[in-house]
Amino acid sequence: MEIVDKDLRSIQEARELTRKGKVAANQIATFTEEQIDRILQKMKTAASKHAVDLAKRAVEETGFGKITDKTYKNHAASTLLYEEIKGQKTIGIIDEDETNGTFDVAEPVGLVLGIIPSTNPTSTVIFKAMIALKSRNAIVFSPHPAALDCTKKAADLLNRAAIEAGAPEGIISCLSLPTMAGTNALLHADEVSLIIATGGPGMVKAAYSSGKPALGVGAGNSPAYIEKTADVASAVAMIMASKTFDNGTICASEQAIICEHSNQEAVIRELKAQGGYFMSKEETAKVCQLLFKNGHTMNAKFVGRDAQVIAKAANIAVPEGTKVLIGEQGGVGPDYPLSYEKLTTVLAFYVVNDWEEACQLSIDLLQNGIGHTMSIHTNDREIVLKFAAKPASRILVNTGGSQGGTGISTGLPISFTLGCGTFGGSSVSENVGPKHLLNIKKVAYGLKDVTTLAKDDSTFQEETSSSVAPMQQPTSQRSPIQSDPEIEDLANMVRQVLAAMNQ
């Protein structure tokens, strides 16, 4: 009986995919803007046509989120993204500074490795494939085992669409037998030039430890502050729409609500009216026992679940129509589990005295998702400016975190890979896009005559000879050393011995 090792098969597949991907990357590097745009249009159309099917597959396979919202995320990653990037320059001269005599030339990085999470599998595949090919790169995907089928389905249909439009074979590929050994082979493959890692902290750390250039994004723990000047009804509506969007599976989704004593009653009243259920301390403890394991690690069984599913599992009776479970918290840290990231329909709730206290609380909460996203609802611009100093790469104002952070409801670039900056151990603080998958070469014309730089420089004054210490005379000009009789006798003796040896 033949025994086939799963890890070895996965490693072999990884090697084959990267070899073919490298060949494809070399070929597409010579494509024109017209060729690339034709390919992207074909990919956009294919993703749009299969947006619902891919969403259904993702929900059925992972159990996370909602079909309707995953469908829209697929639409955002294809149609909305295409409309945004189609006019971006990613080939040849992309910028020029005539005053300083420089211009930028864009070159593709080569073969990109895309690591895909189980929370947003199909939309992330579409997004990364679109920006990779926009920048004339090939891409190979490493799927999360819990989302293998839907991830590979998305990659395969995009690959077919791209090839039909003229892209080379192997331009988009996906590991069909994902193991840690296979993913590790992809991470260290010589053919891979850059890694885009979206996933858990362990996988992102592995990407940065691979020795390859990597764009990794960390966990989020976004607080939403409803300041006293905010329109409470509007603020709550936006938070609810964001937290229930695909059942909170986007890392930019709100994790905690902060309000002030002055508007506490209005906020609570509005949350209840819009489908929020305030849990008792006992109910909050029951839900926390379900949501977390090994400290504050999220239990995958309850990621992206409806509030009523979570309530039923915790044996809590909630009103019909409940959309979000809310638990009041008295602090931040291990004793307050809801102060950590919860990629599901559960929120922490805090009440503070003023914006200064809200400011400190936001900073404390962000330590568990530092560098990612926070949101503020206010009509006071000065408050916005104060909160702009917080350790988050996206400060969202009067919008939902899920839609705002990904650029769907804001002017930020549409992205499903949200950089956390050095705050969160990421190499980029922006929403990742095509420009991050390019090598930018600088061409610079000479502006000054290098043969007369010092003479022509009015800011440079040559030191006078009087201020310069006198140089030591050359050896030939030094005074002869007075001879020492004993040294001279020793030298004569040495010469005699040498002469005798040579006879």
Side-chain angles (χ1 to χ4, degrees):
M1 179 179 176
E2 182 182 7
I3 299 176
V4 180
D5 187 282
K6 187 177 180 180
D7 284 338
L8 292 178
R9 289 170 56 201
S10 183
I11 292 171
Q12 183 59 39
E13 183 185 22
R15 291 174 177 172
E16 292 175 358
L17 294 180
T18 54
R19 288 167 187 161
K20 292 178 180 177
K22 181 60 176 177
V23 172
N26 291 340
Q27 292 174 340
I28 200 172
T30 64
F31 279 30
T32 65
E33 288 185 6
E34 291 75 17
Q35 288 175 299
I36 292 298
D37 190 63
R38 187 159 55 247
I39 292 169
L40 290 179
Q41 285 191 47
K42 193 78 172 179
M43 291 169 62
K44 175 200 70 172
T45 301
S48 179
K49 180 180 179 181
H50 294 274
V52 177
D53 177 57
L54 291 176
K56 287 180 178 178
R57 288 173 178 268
V59 172
E60 289 171 0
E61 186 175 2
T62 66
F64 303 160
K66 304 175 183 175
I67 293 174
T68 301
D69 293 340
K70 285 194 182 297
T71 299
Y72 193 78
K73 287 199 289 189
N74 292 337
H75 168 74
S78 54
T79 302
L80 298 185
L81 177 66
Y82 171 76
E83 292 300 323
E84 180 178 274
I85 67 175
K86 65 180 180 181
Q88 290 183 15
K89 292 183 178 180
T90 56
I91 299 175
I93 298 175
I94 61 173
D95 192 26
E96 186 168 6
D97 184 344
E98 294 182 359
T99 302
N100 289 309
T102 66
F103 60 85
D104 298 346
V105 180
E107 293 287 353
V109 298
L111 177 60
V112 176
L113 166 59
I115 297 176
I116 306 300
S118 57
T119 47
N120 306 291
T122 58
S123 54
T124 306
V125 165
I126 297 168
F127 165 72
K128 290 184 178 180
M130 291 285 286
I131 65 170
L133 271 68
K134 172 64 177 177
S135 302
R136 293 182 299 163
N137 299 297
I139 189 164
V140 55
F141 291 112
S142 175
H144 191 289
L148 170 61
D149 291 341
C150 63
T151 300
K152 193 168 189 317
K153 176 70 175 178
D156 288 346
L157 76 87
L158 290 172
N159 183 54
R160 287 194 301 271
I163 292 173
E164 288 175 6
E169 293 283 343
I171 193 68
I172 302 169
S173 60
C174 180
L175 203 62
S176 64
L177 191 63
T179 67
M180 287 303 297
T183 298
N184 191 55
L186 290 175
L187 288 169
H188 294 89
D190 291 338
E191 294 85 354
V192 170
S193 299
L194 178 70
I195 301 165
I196 314 180
T198 309
M203 184 56 70
V204 172
K205 185 177 181 180
Y208 278 119
S209 301
S210 68
K212 302 278 185 183
L215 301 173
V217 297
N221 194 38
S222 177
Y225 172 39
I226 305 177
E227 194 260 343
K228 63 183 180 182
T229 66
D231 181 327
V232 172
S234 176
V236 169
M238 291 177 186
I239 293 171
M240 294 294 285
S242 171
K243 191 58 177 173
T244 59
F245 183 68
D246 205 25
N247 283 343
T249 54
I250 291 180
C251 292
S253 64
E254 292 81 354
Q255 303 300 317
I257 293 176
I258 303 171
C259 68
E260 300 182 31
H261 284 294
S262 60
N263 63 4
Q264 176 184 359
E265 290 186 8
V267 170
I268 292 175
R269 183 171 58 250
E270 201 61 48
L271 281 168
K272 290 180 177 179
Q274 296 192 33
Y277 175 77
F278 278 80
M279 299 180 288
S280 66
K281 288 185 178 180
E282 293 74 18
E283 291 172 334
T284 299
K286 288 181 180 180
V287 167
C288 288
Q289 287 178 348
L290 291 178
L291 293 187
F292 302 104
K293 58 181 182 179
N294 301 324
H296 53 266
T297 301
M298 185 78 189
N299 184 348
K301 185 177 180 181
F302 295 100
V303 169
R305 302 289 178 169
D306 288 336
Q308 302 214 18
V309 170
I310 298 172
K312 183 177 180 180
N315 197 26
I316 298 173
V318 298
E320 187 176 347
T322 295
K323 298 177 181 178
V324 174
L325 303 179
I326 304 169
E328 295 188 48
Q329 298 288 281
V332 177
D335 293 335
Y336 305 96
L338 293 187
S339 66
Y340 293 89
E341 183 183 50
K342 307 161 290 298
L343 296 181
T344 195
T345 52
V346 178
L347 282 166
F349 187 78
Y350 295 89
V351 182
V352 297
N353 291 312
D354 50 33
W355 73 265
E356 291 176 310
E357 193 175 333
C359 177
Q360 185 57 55
L361 178 57
S362 296
I363 292 174
D364 293 341
L365 288 166
L366 285 168
Q367 298 309 305
N368 299 324
I370 194 164
H372 205 289
T373 305
M374 78 160 293
S375 58
I376 178 171
H377 297 267
T378 181
N379 286 311
D380 187 339
R381 178 172 169 77
E382 289 302 314
I383 292 292
V384 173
L385 295 178
K386 289 179 172 66
F387 273 76
K390 300 300 159 285
S393 297
R394 277 154 295 279
I395 312 291
L396 307 175
V397 183
N398 298 335
T399 190
S402 297
Q403 300 89 340
T406 53
I408 297 173
S409 67
T410 61
L412 296 176
I414 291 175
S415 178
F416 287 92
T417 300
L418 311 181
C420 301
T422 55
F423 299 114
S426 179
S427 61
V428 61
S429 59
E430 299 175 287
N431 284 17
V432 173
K435 70 177 183 178
H436 297 101
L437 308 186
L438 291 170
N439 284 315
I440 308 297
K441 300 187 294 186
K442 282 282 187 181
V443 177
Y445 283 84
L447 301 178
K448 300 177 181 179
D449 186 345
V450 297
T451 65
T452 59
L453 276 178
K455 185 177 69 174
D456 297 341
D457 190 344
S458 62
T459 66
F460 176 74
Q461 292 184 349
E462 196 171 1
E463 295 186 62
T464 61
S465 58
S466 62
S467 64
V468 180
M471 295 179 62
Q472 193 176 30
Q473 289 183 331
T475 303
S476 60
Q477 297 178 5
R478 294 176 193 167
S479 300
I481 301 175
Q482 298 297 321
S483 60
D484 186 320
E486 292 184 3
I487 294 177
E488 196 64 40
D489 290 343
L490 181 60
N492 288 331
M493 186 183 298
V494 172
R495 283 193 288 270
Q496 290 175 8
V497 171
L498 292 174
M501 291 175 63
N502 292 328
Q503 289 180 352

